[in-house]
Amino acid sequence: MCRRRAGLLDGTGKGVREVDFDFTEDQVKFREKAREFAEREFTPELARMFDREEKYPDEIRKKAHAEKVIDYSDPWKVLIAIEELCRQDAGLGISATVPYFGEEVIMLFGSDHLKEKYLNPVNEGRSMMGLAVTEPGGGSDVAGLKTTARKEGKNYIINGAKMFITSGSIADFFVMLVRTSEEEKRHHGLSAFVVESGFPGFKANKLKGKLGVRATDTAELELNNVVVPEENLIGEEGKGFYYIMTFFNISRIFVAGQGIGIAQGAFDRAISILKRKGREYYEKEDIQFAIADMATQLQAARLITYKAASYLFNFKPDPTVTSMAKKYAAETAVFVAEKALEITGVDGISSDLERFYRDAKILEIWEGTSEVEKLIISRNIVKEAQ
Amino acid sequence: MDQDSYRMLRENVDEFCTRNVEPLALRIEREGMPRDLSAKSGAQGFNTATADPASGGSGLDRESYLLILERTARSSPSFAMYLMLQNSIACRILGASGKSDIIREIASGNKTTTVDILSLNESSSSPGNITISDGKVTGTIRTVILPSSDYLIFQHQDALYLAKGNDGIEILPALGFRGLGLGNVSLKERPVEKIAESGGAALIQETIRNSGREVAAMALGMTGRSIDMAIDYSRVRKTFGRPLKDYEPVAFQLSGFKAQEEHLRTMVFFSTARDEYIKPLATDLARRATKVALQVHGGYGYLEDFGVEKFYRDSMTLSIYFGPSKSDMRVLSREVYGEESGVI
């Protein structure tokens, strides 16, 4: 195993910190496997069809699971898989990796009973899960959510609504953040539960007409007197906000991975179109400058994502660097997709490249908008400086 | 145009859009332009706004036409693009070719015409492959906007041809102007009429080059509407207990865009600046403004039901389809330097 260690100034006043994010041979081989899977399974025709029909590709999910493209035994492999799958197509790539979305909340804070009952089927590819936090009236303001859970005997009764829930109309259960106390301070009154989509009173309405990632399923959830057994409470009552924030510090790194994948995919396609157009076209300086800008930003996004990942995967997460990675990789995906269309013009816009432009934009919105990431970065830096 | 005429025409177009375009805006995106909308806009004189009345046109001045494009782009950029394609491109070419009969059909909204403009775009490397012999055309014309048009004007070996109908359309992914669609049009032994002996490509390119202010008017409409939508949304959407408009980055950015929109409006309607000066500003502003407008809407902006994401797609597509192209920038550079510049 060849490893290179590098020290980078982290910019938060802590001086030089070590990072270690070179890949092992096993991980390099895994990247090749994930890329080969995506190239084989995510054909342009299939990607176009699922995008057009806004249909979840369940067969692809099953194949990805069967071929162990998502390997939770090594978080680097999860990040690598997300990158490589989104590089080929974000809609299909995210669909293949999303059945496990929210798993870390149960893994880190759930009881053995919950792990056995809910996580085992997910890890065996027999079931899908999702995370339900956002509500119709609030996205960024997580602590302001209004869905309630009222204790009645050995159950909780949940009422309210959730919005923009990934896999909302297809997942078997959700890790759901709800309000269990009105008296406690806003975030202290929140708790996390496992809520099955089969529970009476649960209804999902699929949202159609998304700008991008149209193969993924997104829904609005209605919760009308949904009875949830008390053993489905994750961890302790009133700690849900902290569990979800901990999860976001993990998931944002994987969203950054989506960003690198989309940016790389758009970049690959732009270069391929330019080469087809010929030297006379791509050797013009304005095209060369654009290529250099795209490649540089992509490289920087990859490095900051790996840096954030190396902290997290070594159990030393740094929320500031994580937010920087998520924000920068998301913006890079949008920037590279835009530039790719600019330099390829009519050829690019009438090709699959247009889908990358549509897919990229969601990354600046979900799992914390770029504005929320900026607030986290800024507040942490100022706090640490005091 | 004086201020009163400007206001009256603006009210007239806005009323037409409120009644006829706005309720169909989502349907246009999903299913394409309905024929009855072309008929209604024909009855208003919009389809052939600037064409000579003797040829079935409305004979409006350019400022009035620009206003029609700006106001319709606020409701449906696809519909505005349809009007621009019929007016600025098709009617000008048909007028120069003496095809008054087709201009009358466009005027009524019964027929639509498209022109092969994208294969002549500098960024296109797919000119298609056609052969013409004995007055019949066979082959494929690539990347045609509004490919389902009744008439297709295209250039071949520097002559200009007119074909009626087609023999198949391969639909291409269309980022923007989905109401019109994008496709490769197949023609098989289809009768064609030569409408200009030579200078076909040059005529189409000149027609596009002379439409810089029209492109800017559409960009202005997209900018204005998307920012207005974001402003309205920021008044009612609350986060952390306060409306979005109370947060500096939201209020300052949207207000800044509103100021830039007004500046662009002055340039489009009331300045004597050359089109080459206005078009780059306009397309750039539209792209920046529509992106921020979508972001302000958060997750809702990502859904087509909210009507803001189409401006994000369409503004990018407008800047790819209509520039500013390198030749536009070369004209601008020549003017700035007083000699040939930007050639390497």
Side-chain angles (χ1 to χ4, degrees):
Chain A
M1 184 176 76
C2 170
R3 283 184 174 272
R4 183 183 65 235
R5 298 186 71 85
L8 295 177
L9 188 67
D10 70 3
T12 57
K14 291 177 186 167
V16 176
R17 290 177 60 167
E18 281 196 333
V19 290
D20 186 349
F21 47 71
D22 233 20
F23 296 113
T24 64
E25 277 176 31
D26 182 42
Q27 288 161 346
V28 170
K29 275 188 186 153
F30 180 81
R31 183 182 289 277
E32 284 164 16
K33 174 184 167 175
R35 186 176 303 166
E36 188 276 325
F37 175 85
E39 287 173 356
R40 169 170 36 95
E41 297 297 333
F42 299 1
T43 62
E45 295 73 27
L46 213 60
R48 253 176 253 153
M49 191 266 278
F50 281 107
D51 176 70
R52 190 174 56 245
E53 297 182 3
E54 298 186 74
K55 201 173 137 191
Y56 180 78
D58 203 45
E59 282 306 309
I60 283 180
R61 172 186 74 87
K62 287 177 185 162
K63 279 185 188 171
H65 181 83
E67 295 191 28
K68 295 187 170 39
V69 175
I70 308 300
D71 181 353
Y72 257 91
S73 67
D74 178 353
W76 280 109
K77 288 184 178 174
V78 178
L79 182 62
I80 289 166
I82 289 170
E83 243 188 275
E84 290 300 328
L85 300 188
C86 289
R87 179 179 185 172
Q88 193 65 15
D89 182 72
L92 297 178
I94 295 170
S95 294
T97 54
V98 90
Y100 318 85
F101 186 53
E103 191 170 64
E104 292 89 343
V105 181
I106 301 176
M107 241 191 270
L108 292 172
F109 306 109
S111 64
D112 289 344
H113 163 72
L114 290 178
K115 287 175 194 169
E116 193 176 328
K117 182 175 178 186
Y118 291 106
L119 291 192
N120 287 354
V122 170
N123 292 333
E124 288 159 14
R126 291 184 286 114
S127 130
M128 280 182 74
M129 66 177 294
L131 182 82
V133 175
T134 302
E135 298 194 346
S140 298
D141 183 10
V142 174
L145 61 80
K146 293 186 168 54
T147 297
T148 58
R150 190 182 71 249
K151 187 86 191 278
E152 268 190 24
K154 289 187 174 299
N155 298 313
Y156 286 87
I157 314 297
I158 297 183
N159 280 288
K162 295 287 172 183
M163 192 62 175
F164 304 124
I165 304 306
T166 302
S167 306
S169 73
I170 53 173
D172 300 286
F173 68 91
F174 298 87
V175 168
M176 190 176 289
L177 189 65
V178 299
R179 181 164 298 288
T180 43
S181 169
E182 295 288 350
E183 282 133 39
E184 294 287 346
K185 271 172 117 182
R186 290 175 6 125
H187 52 285
H188 291 309
L190 302 179
S191 304
F193 290 88
V194 173
V195 179
E196 294 181 26
S197 55
F199 286 163
F202 180 103
K203 191 182 168 199
N205 306 307
K206 180 168 173 149
L207 299 171
K208 297 199 90 174
K210 294 193 301 246
L211 172 64
V213 289
R214 287 158 65 96
T216 64
D217 180 272
T218 310
E220 178 182 18
L221 309 183
E222 291 175 34
L223 303 143
N224 188 13
N225 288 320
V226 177
V227 179
V228 178
E230 64 180 358
E231 59 266 28
N232 279 26
L233 173 69
I234 299 171
E236 293 175 43
E237 198 176 298
K239 294 272 177 72
F241 181 82
Y242 302 101
Y243 300 159
I244 297 299
M245 288 304 121
T246 302
F247 170 74
F248 281 157
N249 277 322
I250 300 168
S251 66
R252 281 172 183 155
I253 285 169
F254 295 123
V255 174
Q258 295 168 2
I260 298 170
I262 293 174
Q264 185 68 58
F267 186 76
D268 295 343
R269 279 156 184 78
I271 295 295
S272 155
I273 292 170
L274 290 175
K275 284 198 144 183
R276 220 166 42 232
K277 282 169 174 288
R279 296 175 81 93
E280 197 184 323
Y281 191 86
Y282 66 75
E283 284 192 349
K284 288 282 182 191
E285 280 204 359
D286 63 338
I287 303 286
Q288 292 186 54
F289 286 7
I291 292 170
D293 287 342
M294 292 156 78
T296 306
Q297 195 160 324
L298 178 50
Q299 183 71 351
R302 180 170 276 122
L303 288 175
I304 196 170
T305 300
Y306 291 168
K307 177 175 177 174
S310 76
Y311 290 160
L312 176 71
F313 300 162
N314 288 316
F315 307 104
K316 294 180 289 183
D318 185 330
T320 309
V321 180
T322 298
S323 287
M324 285 175 176
K326 193 270 175 183
K327 172 187 171 294
Y328 193 72
E331 289 173 356
T332 297
V334 173
F335 170 79
V336 172
E338 265 182 23
K339 280 279 166 205
L341 284 183
E342 275 176 25
I343 62 176
T344 56
V346 172
D347 290 356
I349 209 167
S350 57
S351 76
D352 287 340
L353 199 46
E354 67 87 30
R355 204 172 55 249
F356 282 76
Y357 179 76
R358 291 187 285 110
D359 289 341
K361 191 72 192 78
I362 194 61
L363 303 186
E364 293 184 326
I365 298 171
W366 69 16
E367 295 294 286
T369 61
S370 290
E371 290 74 20
V372 163
E373 304 306 338
K374 284 189 223 183
L375 290 176
I376 293 169
I377 295 163
S378 169
R379 283 172 187 169
N380 286 351
I381 286 174
V382 172
K383 200 166 119 192
E384 284 169 19
Q386 287 165 351
Chain B
M1 186 167 37
D2 62 49
Q3 291 289 341
D4 284 344
S5 309
Y6 175 88
R7 197 174 54 249
M8 274 176 64
L9 181 61
R10 178 172 158 158
E11 284 169 4
N12 184 19
V13 181
D14 284 351
E15 191 185 333
F16 175 84
C17 288
T18 305
R19 285 188 182 183
N20 302 296
V21 187
E22 203 67 43
L24 296 176
L26 193 53
R27 192 178 137 199
I28 291 171
E29 291 299 301
R30 287 177 177 168
E31 298 168 24
M33 278 269 303
R35 283 276 177 178
D36 61 335
L37 180 58
S38 346
K40 283 176 185 165
S41 101
Q44 292 286 318
F46 294 167
N47 293 355
T48 52
T50 51
D52 185 350
S55 308
S58 308
L60 292 179
D61 57 28
R62 193 182 189 193
E63 287 77 9
S64 304
Y65 171 48
L66 292 173
L67 193 56
I68 292 169
L69 290 178
E70 188 237 330
R71 303 315 287 179
T72 51
R74 290 176 61 89
S75 295
S76 168
S78 286
F79 178 56
M81 177 61 87
Y82 164 79
L83 294 179
M84 191 179 129
L85 204 55
Q86 302 309 301
N87 275 288
S88 303
I89 317 288
C91 281
R92 282 183 194 168
I93 292 169
L94 291 167
S97 312
K99 302 298 293 178
S100 305
D101 50 336
I102 298 180
I103 295 178
R104 287 197 180 85
E105 287 186 291
I106 294 173
S108 68
N110 291 330
K111 302 282 183 194
T112 57
T113 301
T114 192
V115 181
D116 173 29
I117 49 176
L118 295 185
S119 72
L120 294 172
N121 188 300
E122 291 160 351
S123 67
S124 172
S125 56
S126 302
N129 178 23
I130 53 168
T131 54
I132 296 176
S133 68
D134 299 332
K136 290 183 177 172
V137 60
T138 294
T140 301
I141 298 178
R142 310 188 81 84
T143 56
V144 177
I145 307 169
L146 195 55
S148 59
S149 286
D150 303 286
Y151 296 104
L152 169 61
I153 298 169
F154 60 94
Q155 66 89 29
H156 179 64
Q157 293 177 348
D158 211 29
L160 214 51
Y161 293 87
L162 176 74
K164 191 174 180 183
N166 63 68
D167 299 288
I169 299 167
E170 180 199 349
I171 302 293
L172 295 170
L175 177 65
F177 304 114
R178 286 191 184 152
L180 307 186
L182 186 69
N184 296 332
V185 176
S186 295
L187 303 163
K188 286 178 191 160
E189 293 285 311
R190 185 157 285 268
V192 282
E193 183 184 346
K194 190 186 276 186
I195 57 173
E197 281 292 340
S198 62
L203 178 59
I204 294 174
Q205 280 162 336
E206 188 192 337
T207 307
I208 295 166
R209 202 160 42 246
N210 289 337
S211 305
R213 234 180 184 82
E214 284 74 3
V215 171
M218 286 181 60
L220 174 64
M222 292 187 222
T223 301
R225 182 61 186 279
S226 64
I227 292 300
D228 285 350
M229 289 173 80
I231 289 170
D232 289 346
Y233 187 75
S234 69
R235 288 184 210 275
V236 296
R237 175 69 173 187
K238 286 187 176 178
T239 188
F240 302 102
R242 302 286 296 265
L244 285 178
K245 72 163 186 66
D246 285 357
Y247 294 92
E248 278 183 358
V250 174
F252 292 0
Q253 262 198 108
L254 295 180
S255 304
F257 277 122
K258 203 66 197 159
Q260 291 177 71
E261 178 202 342
E262 287 314 307
H263 179 61
L264 179 61
R265 183 182 308 285
T266 304
M267 291 196 78
V268 170
F269 290 106
F270 307 111
S271 87
T272 55
R274 291 175 56 129
D275 289 10
E276 288 85 359
Y277 284 92
I278 301 172
K279 191 164 78 169
L281 282 175
T283 50
D284 177 59
L285 176 61
R287 277 177 50 184
R288 287 186 292 111
T290 55
K291 190 176 181 182
V292 168
L294 194 160
Q295 186 71 16
V296 167
H297 281 78
Y300 290 101
Y302 211 66
L303 298 177
E304 66 182 5
D305 286 0
F306 266 67
V308 74
E309 59 85 40
K310 69 172 181 274
F311 294 112
Y312 179 67
R313 291 185 285 105
D314 290 340
S315 59
M316 173 51 107
T317 309
L318 184 72
S319 78
I320 299 287
Y321 283 1
F322 291 103
S325 65
K326 285 193 180 184
S327 50
D328 287 331
M329 295 312 292
R330 242 168 242 131
V331 170
L332 189 57
S333 299
R334 196 184 304 127
E335 192 165 304
V336 168
Y337 286 96
E339 60 183 326
E340 217 49 52
S341 314
V343 291
I344 300 169

